[in-house]
Each structure stands twice: as C-alpha cells, then as structure tokens.
C-alpha cells in the first residue's frame, strides 16, 4: 500500500533475470546445517564435504563461460543463468579460473548449489557488487574475498551464515596448527578443512609449506558481515589479521566450546 494514500504498490524483482531455466529435477540440494533460529541451531556443525566432479557437464560449461567472460572483459557475470537445472546442481564450487575475471564488477551467484567459493576470488580486483543471494549452502567465504576492496554492495542470505548475529549458529571446529608431516596440503578432505587443497597464505599470499594455521574471523564485505576462513602460513600472519567486526569474536578456531556474543537484531 502507498504510504500516504493507501494505493497498492508494486516492487520489482531484482533477481528476475538471475534464475536459470527450471528442470524436471531440483537445481540444488537443501540443507539446514545451521538451523534457522535460536531454537533450531545445532550444537556443532561441519563443513560440507561435497567434492567437485570436474568431468560434469555443468562444470565444463562453467569453465567455458569464464573463458568467454575473460575474453570479452564483461563487467557483469551471471554464469548460472546459462546452465540447465541439472548442470547447476552439478557445480558445488567455483573454479580457480575465476581469477581471470579481473574486469567483472558485478558477480551474481543467485540460488546456486555452491558449498564453497575458492580463494582465487580475491583476484577479481574490479568487483564492486557481490550477490550470492539464496545460495543457502554457502555458510562461509574465504578470507581472500576481503582483498576485493572495491565491493560496496552485497546481497547475502545472512541467516545461513556461521555465527550470524541473528541467532549465532556455531562454526566448524578448526585445527589451529597442522604440520606438513601430518597432512598433504595439496590433497585435503573438504569436510575437514573446508578445501581440497591449500597452497597459499590468505594473509601474505606466500606459500603454505611447513605448517597450516586455520582461524575464523568475521568481517564486513560490502554491506554484510561474513564469516571468513583464514588459511595462514604462520602464527605471525594470524597475528597480523585486522580486528573483527564489532560484536563478533577475534580470530578463533570454532567448535561448540566457543562462546559468541548474544544474538541481536
């Protein structure tokens, strides 16, 4: 209704052109990993363990679309609109090749089946608008996303995020320090580490060689506060992290024992 005269008002759908074609089967999997309220939040959570099938048609088509976008230097990238429903469901992470999209200013990941975004997103230096809205299996983002300092606007389904201020669901437990003798950093279990490989430091961008330090930190990215996973090469790089967003924890390793601030609106 109109604010003054009581007449009906219409609102445009900002994402009407961000949805790919429907199919006979669902285009994504459902999850309630973090619950949806204080009453339904779990005691503990784990990373999604999905591994990307790099032979799937959806993955191969996405690689083609990234090459096309890099070649024509497009400013807006909405790749999932051009995938079928079945293909969209096959893609659970973006390819590292998104690092080539240095001219993209607006990235739309509406309603995807993604469970991870790779650290290479930090190379998208022109990014100004980031919209993974209704991608409900994205509970966290890589710290490298904070390198996209030009992001001024974002649209994220914050209720599905680890540690979100609305009802403070938990974070997956991390191993504070892992020696290279105890894990192959080039072949990791994403259900444990949040990635299938860690090669470079989220903080200094140097190689992760002798040891891996993982922590969580919540920072503002665009107009949202996001839980960011830091893969650091040393304790010094962890110590060099900036302050968290107000009313969020300093760098921590997650798990049910972590006491978060009270939920708030």
């Amino acid at each position: 209704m109109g604010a003054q005269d009581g007449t009906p008002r219409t609102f445009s759908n900002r994402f009407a052109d961000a949805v790919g074609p429907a199919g006979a089967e669902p285009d994504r999997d459902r999850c309630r990993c973090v619950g949806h309220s204080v009453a339904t939040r779990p005691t503990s959570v784990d990373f999604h363990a999905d591994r990307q099938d790099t032979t799937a048609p959806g993955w191969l088509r996405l690689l083609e679309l990234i090459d096309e976008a890099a070649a024509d230097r497009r400013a807006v990238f909405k790749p999932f609109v051009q995938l079928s429903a079945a293909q969209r469901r096959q893609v659970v992470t973006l390819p590292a090749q998104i690092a080539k999209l240095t001219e993209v200013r607006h990235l739309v990941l509406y309603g995807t089946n993604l469970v991870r975004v790779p650290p290479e997103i930090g190379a998208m230096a022109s990014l100004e608008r980031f919209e993974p809205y209704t991608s409900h299996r994205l509970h966290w983002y890589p710290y490298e996303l904070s390198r996209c300092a030009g992001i001024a606007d974002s649209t994220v389904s914050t209720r599905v995020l680890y540690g979100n201020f609305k009802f403070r669901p938990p974070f997956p437990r991390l191993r504070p320090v892992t020696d290279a003798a105890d894990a192959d950093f080039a072949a990791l279990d994403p259900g444990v580490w949040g990635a299938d490989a860690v090669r470079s430091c989220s903080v200094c961008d140097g190689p992760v060689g002798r040891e891996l330090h993982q922590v969580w930190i919540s920072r503002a990215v665009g107009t949202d506060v996001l839980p960011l996973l830091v893969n650091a090469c040393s304790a010094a790089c962890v110590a060099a992290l900036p302050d968290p967003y107000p009313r969020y924890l300093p760098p921590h390793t997650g798990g049910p024992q972590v006491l978060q601030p009270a939920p708030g609106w």
Side-chain angles (χ1 to χ4, degrees):
M1 304 295 284
Q4 301 298 326
D5 59 9
T7 56
R9 296 174 59 190
T10 59
F11 297 88
S12 61
N13 181 357
R14 292 173 50 206
F15 296 100
D17 63 348
V19 182
E25 299 294 328
D27 63 350
R28 57 187 128 162
D29 298 302
R30 305 290 175 178
C31 88
R32 282 289 192 180
C33 287
V34 300
H36 54 85
S37 66
V38 171
T40 61
R41 68 186 176 196
T43 302
S44 62
V45 295
D46 296 306
F47 289 110
H48 283 284
D50 308 46
R51 291 181 180 272
Q52 181 61 55
D53 178 359
T54 56
T55 67
W59 177 261
L60 298 176
R61 178 60 178 142
L62 182 55
L63 290 175
E64 293 175 353
L65 293 172
I66 290 172
D67 285 341
E68 292 172 10
D72 64 26
R73 304 177 67 179
R74 73 186 63 171
V76 180
F77 191 45
K78 303 179 180 180
F80 290 90
V81 174
Q82 300 182 61
L83 272 61
S84 69
Q87 289 174 336
R88 293 197 299 276
R89 193 174 185 180
Q90 293 165 355
V91 179
V92 297
T93 184
L94 295 177
Q97 286 85 343
I98 59 171
K100 298 189 294 184
L101 302 180
T102 55
E103 301 296 323
V104 169
R105 298 198 299 271
H106 183 189
L107 177 61
V108 180
L109 305 174
Y110 182 87
T112 71
N113 201 35
L114 295 174
V115 300
R116 289 182 295 279
V117 173
E120 285 80 7
I121 195 171
M124 296 180 66
S126 299
L127 199 58
E128 299 173 354
R129 192 171 176 185
F130 180 57
E131 295 183 323
Y133 191 51
T134 71
S135 289
H136 289 152
R137 299 213 298 159
L138 280 176
H139 307 305
W140 61 278
Y141 294 86
Y143 182 76
E144 286 82 351
L145 182 61
S146 64
R147 296 179 186 174
C148 301
I151 297 179
D153 187 22
S154 59
T155 309
V156 178
S157 297
T158 54
R159 190 176 286 275
V160 303
L161 298 178
Y162 298 140
N164 73 74
F165 79 102
K166 296 176 180 177
F167 60 99
R168 301 294 188 187
F171 292 76
R173 186 194 300 272
L174 302 174
R175 302 180 183 186
V177 186
T178 303
D179 191 271
D182 299 323
D184 182 354
F185 299 152
L188 299 172
D189 180 350
V192 175
W193 307 91
D196 55 15
V198 174
R199 296 182 175 84
S200 60
C201 177
S202 300
V203 183
C204 72
D205 206 28
V208 173
R210 293 186 302 173
E211 56 188 28
L212 171 63
H213 298 247
Q214 287 194 306
V215 295
W216 293 108
I217 188 170
S218 295
R219 297 274 297 167
V221 176
T223 50
D224 293 288
V225 177
L226 305 182
L228 305 175
L229 177 61
V230 178
N231 291 307
C233 65
S234 65
C237 278
V238 172
L241 289 169
D243 292 334
Y245 193 78
R247 294 197 71 242
Y248 284 81
L249 297 174
H252 63 94
T253 54
Q257 79 285 354
V258 170
L259 182 61
Q260 301 186 61
W265 288 86

